Amino acid sequence: MKSAKFLLMALVAMAFVGCGSDDDNSASTPKLATPTPTVDQSTITATSATVTWSAVTNAASYEVQLNGATVQTVTSPSVSLTSLTAGTSYTVGVRAVPADTQSYSASDFGTCTFTTTGEGGEGGEGGNTHASLSGSNYYLISLDAATYETIKDKVVADFRPNDTDCFLYDWASNFSDGTSAGPNFYGVVDSWVNIQIGTATGWFGAGFFSTNLDNIKKLAQINADVNNYYLHMAWKGTNTGNYAVKLYDGVIDGCPVIVNVDGEYGFARDGEWHEIEVPLKYFYDKGLKYQESVLTSLAPDASGNVGLNIMAITQSDDGTMPQSLQIDAVFIYKK
């Protein structure tokens, strides 16, 4: 099995109000003038906004940051920001980058702030206002570090890939790293699982695998109140094709739900984040059952690892081949 690697970006909190610039005295060559970005108020919606600034002499491009993380590089003095979260405050930073780096150095960042319209849609700043974070008994599969801090006292087991006892494996060896940029599902500028699917193999499969037996056996606690547990996922993308999302219990060879375009558990392919919640009862009706006796006596897999595929995403039976896989905020929790 080949481990798929993903970029982990740390959220850098910004506390600017209005517009300004930072200080950097490290450059030995003259700096370009600092851009002064402004937000066109007429363009602000629940999920987008346009930021403009005056062109800087000798600038070849402009680096654009959102809440401290670089999201775009543009050559003209404006940028359209999309996939934002309703009712959320954002800080935009822009700096000018020269073509002639021998004669000039990049400018300081000029900054401005704005707030999207609405009261919070599929997420809220820092992830602390969304309904999916108001539950209990969280079993994490994929979640950013900042949002984790808001629910860490309610986490029963953490299966997020850490390359120690939790992994995201590429079963078909046909994935390549995608670039995750901009806000994730909860409006945090951090990474999410974004992998490009190769078509040469003719199939794909990725498994969230854990060897943490202490955490694995905690899944059995779900049995006592399975009707109130849900698998939560956020998906985005623009490609066609469907996915099969599977849960495992140490006995059954994966209980699937099909993530498609038009079905009950699907999402529109419009490049925006979409929330999917599947009742655990759906999987239990298909034969899934987390039994403590099984989870505490797991046999080695084909590679000799003793553990469990917590969840997998594979090609669906219809034979379609999506070109990418972009997911975030994956966990089982109790409402």
Side-chain angles (χ1 to χ4, degrees):
M1 292 185 289
K2 178 182 175 184
S3 178
K5 305 294 184 182
F6 301 102
L7 178 66
L8 299 178
M9 298 163 50
L11 175 67
V12 181
M14 304 281 287
F16 295 97
V17 178
C19 298
S21 63
D22 60 3
D23 293 319
D24 182 4
N25 297 316
S26 61
S28 59
T29 54
K31 288 184 179 183
L32 296 182
T34 301
T36 306
T38 59
V39 180
D40 183 345
Q41 297 296 315
S42 66
T43 68
I44 298 176
T45 71
T47 59
S48 62
T50 298
V51 179
T52 61
W53 56 93
S54 297
V56 174
T57 302
N58 296 314
S61 62
Y62 302 91
E63 179 184 352
V64 180
Q65 291 189 344
L66 194 61
N67 288 356
T70 299
V71 293
Q72 291 191 50
T73 298
V74 296
T75 56
S76 58
S78 68
V79 63
S80 295
L81 302 170
T82 60
S83 298
L84 305 179
T85 301
T88 301
S89 177
Y90 291 99
T91 296
V92 180
V94 179
R95 72 170 173 176
V97 180
D100 181 3
T101 56
Q102 298 299 314
S103 300
Y104 303 97
S105 60
S107 73
D108 293 332
F109 277 97
T111 62
C112 62
T113 61
F114 70 94
T115 301
T116 50
T117 60
E119 297 180 355
E122 301 200 312
E125 187 177 11
N128 57 9
T129 62
H130 195 272
S132 65
L133 301 176
S134 299
S136 63
N137 297 13
Y138 286 81
Y139 297 80
L140 304 183
I141 299 171
S142 178
L143 189 70
D144 67 88
T147 305
Y148 166 79
E149 289 296 319
T150 70
I151 62 166
K152 63 182 180 181
D153 293 337
K154 300 186 288 185
V155 173
V156 177
D158 190 346
F159 299 114
R160 293 177 298 168
N162 56 22
D163 287 334
T164 300
D165 58 14
C166 294
F167 310 88
L168 176 54
Y169 285 121
D170 170 7
W171 293 348
S173 298
N174 67 344
F175 288 147
S176 61
D177 294 352
T179 301
S180 52
N184 64 15
F185 174 69
Y186 289 119
V188 177
V189 181
D190 204 338
S191 65
W192 59 85
V193 175
N194 181 2
I195 50 184
Q196 305 304 305
I197 300 171
T199 58
T201 306
W203 73 283
F204 66 88
F208 290 87
F209 184 83
S210 176
T211 60
N212 189 321
L213 300 182
D214 287 337
N215 276 343
I216 289 171
K217 69 181 181 181
K218 293 176 182 177
L219 289 165
Q221 299 174 18
I222 292 173
N223 287 342
D225 196 13
V226 66
N227 289 333
N228 288 316
Y229 278 88
Y230 289 78
L231 171 64
H232 181 278
M233 302 178 288
W235 288 75
K236 70 180 294 187
T238 57
N239 56 269
T240 59
N242 301 321
Y243 312 82
V245 176
K246 299 180 179 180
L247 297 182
Y248 297 79
D249 61 8
V251 177
I252 197 166
D253 188 21
C255 256
V257 60
I258 303 302
V259 176
N260 52 22
V261 177
D262 302 317
E264 181 178 4
Y265 302 115
F267 67 100
R269 308 307 164 84
D270 56 6
E272 303 290 339
W273 284 113
H274 295 277
E275 180 181 48
I276 298 174
E277 290 203 318
V278 186
L280 257 289
K281 186 65 165 52
Y282 177 95
F283 295 98
Y284 267 57
D285 288 344
K286 288 177 172 285
L288 182 79
K289 187 174 183 181
Y290 294 125
Q291 303 176 74
E292 186 171 3
S293 59
V294 174
L295 297 175
T296 55
S297 58
L298 294 169
D301 66 8
S303 299
N305 299 310
V306 178
L308 182 71
N309 279 312
I310 306 302
M311 190 184 88
I313 303 171
T314 70
Q315 188 173 8
S316 64
D317 291 337
D318 62 11
T320 58
M321 283 285 291
Q323 298 302 294
S324 67
L325 192 163
Q326 299 182 59
I327 58 171
D328 186 38
V330 184
F331 48 79
I332 297 169
Y333 79 115
K334 183 178 178 181
K335 285 192 177 182

Short mmCIF file of all heavy atoms in Angstrom, two decimals, residues 70-124:
data_model
loop_
_atom_site.label_atom_id
_atom_site.label_comp_id
_atom_site.label_asym_id
_atom_site.label_seq_id
_atom_site.Cartn_x
_atom_site.Cartn_y
_atom_site.Cartn_z
N THR A 70 -1.54 31.94 1.82
CA THR A 70 -1.56 32.30 0.40
C THR A 70 -2.59 31.46 -0.34
O THR A 70 -2.59 30.22 -0.24
CB THR A 70 -0.17 32.09 -0.23
OG1 THR A 70 0.77 32.94 0.45
CG2 THR A 70 -0.19 32.42 -1.71
N VAL A 71 -3.45 32.14 -1.09
CA VAL A 71 -4.50 31.43 -1.82
C VAL A 71 -4.41 31.62 -3.33
O VAL A 71 -4.90 30.78 -4.09
CB VAL A 71 -5.91 31.86 -1.34
CG1 VAL A 71 -6.15 31.40 0.08
CG2 VAL A 71 -6.11 33.37 -1.47
N GLN A 72 -3.79 32.71 -3.78
CA GLN A 72 -3.68 32.96 -5.21
C GLN A 72 -2.47 33.83 -5.51
O GLN A 72 -1.99 34.57 -4.65
CB GLN A 72 -4.93 33.68 -5.76
CG GLN A 72 -6.20 32.87 -5.79
CD GLN A 72 -7.30 33.56 -6.57
OE1 GLN A 72 -7.10 34.00 -7.69
NE2 GLN A 72 -8.48 33.65 -5.97
N THR A 73 -1.99 33.73 -6.75
CA THR A 73 -1.04 34.68 -7.31
C THR A 73 -1.64 35.20 -8.60
O THR A 73 -2.02 34.40 -9.48
CB THR A 73 0.32 34.02 -7.58
OG1 THR A 73 0.88 33.55 -6.35
CG2 THR A 73 1.29 35.01 -8.20
N VAL A 74 -1.76 36.50 -8.71
CA VAL A 74 -2.40 37.11 -9.88
C VAL A 74 -1.45 38.11 -10.52
O VAL A 74 -0.51 38.60 -9.87
CB VAL A 74 -3.72 37.81 -9.49
CG1 VAL A 74 -4.73 36.79 -8.97
CG2 VAL A 74 -3.49 38.90 -8.46
N THR A 75 -1.68 38.41 -11.79
CA THR A 75 -0.83 39.37 -12.49
C THR A 75 -1.50 40.73 -12.67
O THR A 75 -0.84 41.72 -12.98
CB THR A 75 -0.44 38.82 -13.88
OG1 THR A 75 -1.63 38.50 -14.62
CG2 THR A 75 0.41 37.57 -13.73
N SER A 76 -2.82 40.79 -12.46
CA SER A 76 -3.53 42.07 -12.55
C SER A 76 -3.91 42.52 -11.14
O SER A 76 -3.99 41.70 -10.22
CB SER A 76 -4.78 41.92 -13.42
OG SER A 76 -5.64 40.94 -12.90
N PRO A 77 -4.17 43.81 -10.94
CA PRO A 77 -4.42 44.34 -9.59
C PRO A 77 -5.85 44.12 -9.09
O PRO A 77 -6.51 45.06 -8.66
CB PRO A 77 -4.08 45.82 -9.74
CG PRO A 77 -4.41 46.13 -11.14
CD PRO A 77 -4.07 44.91 -11.94
N SER A 78 -6.31 42.89 -9.13
CA SER A 78 -7.62 42.55 -8.57
C SER A 78 -7.70 41.04 -8.40
O SER A 78 -6.97 40.29 -9.07
CB SER A 78 -8.77 43.04 -9.47
OG SER A 78 -8.79 42.31 -10.68
N VAL A 79 -8.58 40.60 -7.52
CA VAL A 79 -8.76 39.17 -7.31
C VAL A 79 -10.20 38.91 -6.89
O VAL A 79 -10.79 39.68 -6.12
CB VAL A 79 -7.78 38.64 -6.23
CG1 VAL A 79 -8.04 39.27 -4.87
CG2 VAL A 79 -7.85 37.13 -6.14
N SER A 80 -10.78 37.83 -7.41
CA SER A 80 -12.12 37.40 -7.02
C SER A 80 -11.98 36.23 -6.06
O SER A 80 -11.37 35.21 -6.40
CB SER A 80 -12.93 36.98 -8.25
OG SER A 80 -13.17 38.09 -9.09
N LEU A 81 -12.49 36.38 -4.86
CA LEU A 81 -12.42 35.34 -3.84
C LEU A 81 -13.75 34.59 -3.81
O LEU A 81 -14.81 35.21 -3.72
CB LEU A 81 -12.13 35.96 -2.48
CG LEU A 81 -10.83 36.78 -2.40
CD1 LEU A 81 -10.77 37.54 -1.09
CD2 LEU A 81 -9.62 35.88 -2.56
N THR A 82 -13.69 33.27 -3.87
CA THR A 82 -14.91 32.46 -3.90
C THR A 82 -14.84 31.38 -2.84
O THR A 82 -13.84 31.25 -2.13
CB THR A 82 -15.10 31.82 -5.28
OG1 THR A 82 -13.97 30.97 -5.58
CG2 THR A 82 -15.24 32.87 -6.36
N SER A 83 -15.90 30.60 -2.72
CA SER A 83 -16.01 29.50 -1.74
C SER A 83 -15.83 30.00 -0.31
O SER A 83 -15.30 29.29 0.55
CB SER A 83 -14.99 28.39 -2.05
OG SER A 83 -15.23 27.83 -3.31
N LEU A 84 -16.27 31.23 -0.05
CA LEU A 84 -16.21 31.79 1.30
C LEU A 84 -17.41 31.32 2.12
O LEU A 84 -18.31 30.66 1.60
CB LEU A 84 -16.17 33.32 1.23
CG LEU A 84 -15.06 33.92 0.35
CD1 LEU A 84 -15.16 35.44 0.34
CD2 LEU A 84 -13.69 33.47 0.83
N THR A 85 -17.41 31.66 3.38
CA THR A 85 -18.47 31.23 4.29
C THR A 85 -19.32 32.42 4.71
O THR A 85 -18.80 33.49 5.03
CB THR A 85 -17.87 30.57 5.55
OG1 THR A 85 -17.09 29.45 5.13
CG2 THR A 85 -18.96 30.10 6.49
N ALA A 86 -20.63 32.25 4.70
CA ALA A 86 -21.56 33.33 5.03
C ALA A 86 -21.33 33.85 6.45
O ALA A 86 -21.03 33.08 7.37
CB ALA A 86 -23.00 32.86 4.87
N GLY A 87 -21.49 35.17 6.62
CA GLY A 87 -21.40 35.78 7.94
C GLY A 87 -20.05 35.65 8.59
O GLY A 87 -19.94 35.58 9.81
N THR A 88 -18.98 35.63 7.79
CA THR A 88 -17.63 35.39 8.31
C THR A 88 -16.71 36.55 7.95
O THR A 88 -16.76 37.08 6.85
CB THR A 88 -17.06 34.08 7.72
OG1 THR A 88 -17.93 33.00 8.07
CG2 THR A 88 -15.67 33.79 8.24
N SER A 89 -15.85 36.93 8.89
CA SER A 89 -14.90 38.01 8.68
C SER A 89 -13.60 37.45 8.08
O SER A 89 -13.09 36.42 8.55
CB SER A 89 -14.59 38.71 10.00
OG SER A 89 -13.61 39.72 9.81
N TYR A 90 -13.09 38.13 7.06
CA TYR A 90 -11.85 37.71 6.40
C TYR A 90 -10.87 38.87 6.33
O TYR A 90 -11.27 40.02 6.15
CB TYR A 90 -12.13 37.21 4.98
CG TYR A 90 -12.89 35.92 4.93
CD1 TYR A 90 -14.26 35.91 4.71
CD2 TYR A 90 -12.24 34.70 5.09
CE1 TYR A 90 -14.97 34.71 4.66
CE2 TYR A 90 -12.93 33.50 5.04
CZ TYR A 90 -14.29 33.52 4.83
OH TYR A 90 -14.99 32.33 4.79
N THR A 91 -9.58 38.55 6.45
CA THR A 91 -8.51 39.52 6.24
C THR A 91 -7.78 39.14 4.97
O THR A 91 -7.30 38.01 4.83
CB THR A 91 -7.53 39.53 7.43
OG1 THR A 91 -8.21 39.97 8.60
CG2 THR A 91 -6.37 40.47 7.14
N VAL A 92 -7.68 40.09 4.06
CA VAL A 92 -6.99 39.87 2.79
C VAL A 92 -5.65 40.60 2.83
O VAL A 92 -5.59 41.78 3.21
CB VAL A 92 -7.83 40.40 1.60
CG1 VAL A 92 -7.09 40.17 0.28
CG2 VAL A 92 -9.19 39.71 1.58
N GLY A 93 -4.59 39.91 2.46
CA GLY A 93 -3.28 40.52 2.35
C GLY A 93 -2.79 40.45 0.91
O GLY A 93 -2.97 39.42 0.25
N VAL A 94 -2.20 41.52 0.43
CA VAL A 94 -1.68 41.56 -0.94
C VAL A 94 -0.28 42.16 -0.91
O VAL A 94 -0.07 43.21 -0.28
CB VAL A 94 -2.58 42.42 -1.87
CG1 VAL A 94 -2.00 42.45 -3.29
CG2 VAL A 94 -4.00 41.87 -1.89
N ARG A 95 0.67 41.51 -1.57
CA ARG A 95 1.99 42.12 -1.72
C ARG A 95 2.44 42.02 -3.18
O ARG A 95 2.08 41.08 -3.90
CB ARG A 95 3.02 41.48 -0.81
CG ARG A 95 3.48 40.09 -1.17
CD ARG A 95 4.67 39.71 -0.31
NE ARG A 95 5.07 38.32 -0.50
CZ ARG A 95 6.13 37.77 0.09
NH1 ARG A 95 6.87 38.50 0.90
NH2 ARG A 95 6.43 36.50 -0.12
N ALA A 96 3.20 43.01 -3.59
CA ALA A 96 3.71 43.07 -4.96
C ALA A 96 5.02 42.29 -5.06
O ALA A 96 5.88 42.37 -4.19
CB ALA A 96 3.93 44.52 -5.37
N VAL A 97 5.15 41.52 -6.13
CA VAL A 97 6.34 40.69 -6.36
C VAL A 97 7.01 41.16 -7.66
O VAL A 97 6.35 41.24 -8.70
CB VAL A 97 5.96 39.21 -6.47
CG1 VAL A 97 7.20 38.35 -6.71
CG2 VAL A 97 5.23 38.75 -5.20
N PRO A 98 8.31 41.45 -7.63
CA PRO A 98 8.98 41.99 -8.82
C PRO A 98 9.40 40.88 -9.78
O PRO A 98 9.58 39.72 -9.39
CB PRO A 98 10.20 42.69 -8.24
CG PRO A 98 10.54 41.86 -7.04
CD PRO A 98 9.21 41.40 -6.47
N ALA A 99 9.57 41.24 -11.04
CA ALA A 99 10.17 40.32 -12.00
C ALA A 99 11.70 40.36 -11.87
O ALA A 99 12.37 39.33 -11.92
CB ALA A 99 9.75 40.70 -13.42
N ASP A 100 12.24 41.55 -11.63
CA ASP A 100 13.68 41.74 -11.48
C ASP A 100 14.03 41.68 -10.00
O ASP A 100 14.04 42.70 -9.29
CB ASP A 100 14.07 43.10 -12.08
CG ASP A 100 15.58 43.36 -11.98
OD1 ASP A 100 16.30 42.47 -11.50
OD2 ASP A 100 16.01 44.46 -12.39
N THR A 101 14.32 40.47 -9.53
CA THR A 101 14.60 40.29 -8.10
C THR A 101 16.00 40.75 -7.72
O THR A 101 16.33 40.80 -6.53
CB THR A 101 14.42 38.82 -7.71
OG1 THR A 101 15.26 38.01 -8.54
CG2 THR A 101 12.97 38.38 -7.89
N GLN A 102 16.84 41.06 -8.71
CA GLN A 102 18.16 41.60 -8.40
C GLN A 102 18.08 43.07 -8.03
O GLN A 102 18.90 43.58 -7.26
CB GLN A 102 19.09 41.42 -9.60
CG GLN A 102 19.33 39.98 -10.00
CD GLN A 102 19.99 39.19 -8.89
OE1 GLN A 102 20.95 39.64 -8.27
NE2 GLN A 102 19.45 37.99 -8.62
N SER A 103 17.08 43.76 -8.58
CA SER A 103 16.96 45.20 -8.36
C SER A 103 15.93 45.56 -7.31
O SER A 103 16.01 46.63 -6.68
CB SER A 103 16.61 45.90 -9.67
OG SER A 103 17.60 45.67 -10.66
N TYR A 104 14.95 44.68 -7.11
CA TYR A 104 13.85 44.97 -6.18
C TYR A 104 13.51 43.73 -5.36
O TYR A 104 13.74 42.59 -5.79
CB TYR A 104 12.59 45.42 -6.93
CG TYR A 104 12.79 46.63 -7.81
CD1 TYR A 104 13.03 46.47 -9.18
CD2 TYR A 104 12.72 47.91 -7.28
CE1 TYR A 104 13.21 47.57 -10.00
CE2 TYR A 104 12.91 49.02 -8.10
CZ TYR A 104 13.15 48.85 -9.45
OH TYR A 104 13.34 49.93 -10.26
N SER A 105 12.94 43.97 -4.18
CA SER A 105 12.40 42.87 -3.38
C SER A 105 10.89 43.07 -3.24
O SER A 105 10.36 44.15 -3.52
CB SER A 105 13.05 42.84 -1.99
OG SER A 105 12.81 44.05 -1.29
N ALA A 106 10.22 42.01 -2.85
CA ALA A 106 8.76 42.06 -2.72
C ALA A 106 8.35 43.10 -1.68
O ALA A 106 9.08 43.36 -0.71
CB ALA A 106 8.21 40.70 -2.35
N SER A 107 7.21 43.65 -1.86
CA SER A 107 6.71 44.67 -0.94
C SER A 107 6.23 44.05 0.36
O SER A 107 6.17 42.83 0.51
CB SER A 107 5.55 45.42 -1.60
OG SER A 107 4.39 44.58 -1.64
N ASP A 108 5.89 44.90 1.31
CA ASP A 108 5.15 44.45 2.48
C ASP A 108 3.74 44.08 2.03
O ASP A 108 3.30 44.43 0.94
CB ASP A 108 5.07 45.57 3.53
CG ASP A 108 6.42 45.90 4.13
OD1 ASP A 108 7.29 45.01 4.17
OD2 ASP A 108 6.61 47.07 4.53
N PHE A 109 3.02 43.40 2.92
CA PHE A 109 1.62 43.08 2.64
C PHE A 109 0.74 44.26 3.04
O PHE A 109 0.81 44.75 4.18
CB PHE A 109 1.17 41.85 3.44
CG PHE A 109 1.53 40.54 2.79
CD1 PHE A 109 2.66 39.85 3.17
CD2 PHE A 109 0.73 40.01 1.78
CE1 PHE A 109 3.00 38.65 2.58
CE2 PHE A 109 1.05 38.80 1.18
CZ PHE A 109 2.19 38.12 1.58
N GLY A 110 -0.08 44.70 2.11
CA GLY A 110 -1.15 45.62 2.45
C GLY A 110 -2.38 44.79 2.77
O GLY A 110 -2.60 43.73 2.15
N THR A 111 -3.16 45.21 3.74
CA THR A 111 -4.29 44.37 4.18
C THR A 111 -5.59 45.15 4.27
O THR A 111 -5.60 46.38 4.42
CB THR A 111 -4.01 43.76 5.57
OG1 THR A 111 -3.88 44.81 6.53
CG2 THR A 111 -2.75 42.91 5.56
N CYS A 112 -6.67 44.43 4.18
CA CYS A 112 -7.99 44.98 4.46
C CYS A 112 -8.89 43.85 4.92
O CYS A 112 -8.55 42.67 4.77
CB CYS A 112 -8.59 45.68 3.23
SG CYS A 112 -8.84 44.60 1.82
N THR A 113 -9.99 44.19 5.53
CA THR A 113 -10.91 43.18 6.06
C THR A 113 -12.31 43.40 5.51
O THR A 113 -12.68 44.51 5.11
CB THR A 113 -10.97 43.22 7.60
OG1 THR A 113 -11.44 44.51 8.01
CG2 THR A 113 -9.61 42.96 8.21
N PHE A 114 -13.08 42.34 5.49
CA PHE A 114 -14.49 42.42 5.11
C PHE A 114 -15.22 41.25 5.72
O PHE A 114 -14.60 40.28 6.18
CB PHE A 114 -14.66 42.41 3.58
CG PHE A 114 -14.32 41.08 2.93
CD1 PHE A 114 -15.31 40.13 2.69
CD2 PHE A 114 -13.02 40.79 2.57
CE1 PHE A 114 -15.01 38.92 2.10
CE2 PHE A 114 -12.70 39.58 1.98
CZ PHE A 114 -13.70 38.64 1.74
N THR A 115 -16.53 41.32 5.75
CA THR A 115 -17.38 40.25 6.28
C THR A 115 -18.41 39.87 5.23
O THR A 115 -19.09 40.74 4.67
CB THR A 115 -18.10 40.69 7.57
OG1 THR A 115 -17.11 41.05 8.54
CG2 THR A 115 -18.96 39.57 8.12
N THR A 116 -18.51 38.59 4.95
CA THR A 116 -19.50 38.12 3.99
C THR A 116 -20.91 38.30 4.56
O THR A 116 -21.11 38.39 5.77
CB THR A 116 -19.27 36.65 3.64
OG1 THR A 116 -19.14 35.89 4.85
CG2 THR A 116 -18.02 36.47 2.82
N THR A 117 -21.88 38.33 3.67
CA THR A 117 -23.26 38.53 4.09
C THR A 117 -23.84 37.24 4.66
O THR A 117 -23.26 36.17 4.51
CB THR A 117 -24.12 38.97 2.90
OG1 THR A 117 -24.08 37.95 1.88
CG2 THR A 117 -23.61 40.28 2.32
N GLY A 118 -24.98 37.34 5.31
CA GLY A 118 -25.66 36.16 5.85
C GLY A 118 -25.27 35.91 7.29
O GLY A 118 -24.47 36.63 7.89
N GLU A 119 -25.83 34.83 7.84
CA GLU A 119 -25.64 34.50 9.25
C GLU A 119 -24.83 33.23 9.44
O GLU A 119 -24.88 32.61 10.50
CB GLU A 119 -27.00 34.33 9.93
CG GLU A 119 -27.83 35.61 9.92
CD GLU A 119 -29.16 35.43 10.59
OE1 GLU A 119 -29.47 34.29 10.99
OE2 GLU A 119 -29.89 36.41 10.72
N GLY A 120 -24.11 32.84 8.41
CA GLY A 120 -23.33 31.60 8.52
C GLY A 120 -24.04 30.50 7.77
O GLY A 120 -25.15 30.13 8.12
N GLY A 121 -23.40 30.02 6.72
CA GLY A 121 -24.03 28.97 5.92
C GLY A 121 -23.46 27.63 6.29
O GLY A 121 -23.65 27.15 7.39
N GLU A 122 -22.69 27.02 5.38
CA GLU A 122 -22.12 25.72 5.66
C GLU A 122 -20.79 25.92 6.37
O GLU A 122 -19.72 25.59 5.91
CB GLU A 122 -21.96 24.94 4.37
CG GLU A 122 -23.28 24.77 3.68
CD GLU A 122 -23.25 23.64 2.69
OE1 GLU A 122 -22.33 23.56 1.89
OE2 GLU A 122 -24.18 22.84 2.74
N GLY A 123 -20.88 26.52 7.53
CA GLY A 123 -19.69 26.76 8.33
C GLY A 123 -19.76 28.12 8.96
O GLY A 123 -20.61 28.93 8.67
N GLY A 124 -18.86 28.41 9.89
CA GLY A 124 -18.73 29.71 10.52
C GLY A 124 -17.28 29.89 10.86
O GLY A 124 -16.54 28.93 10.92
#
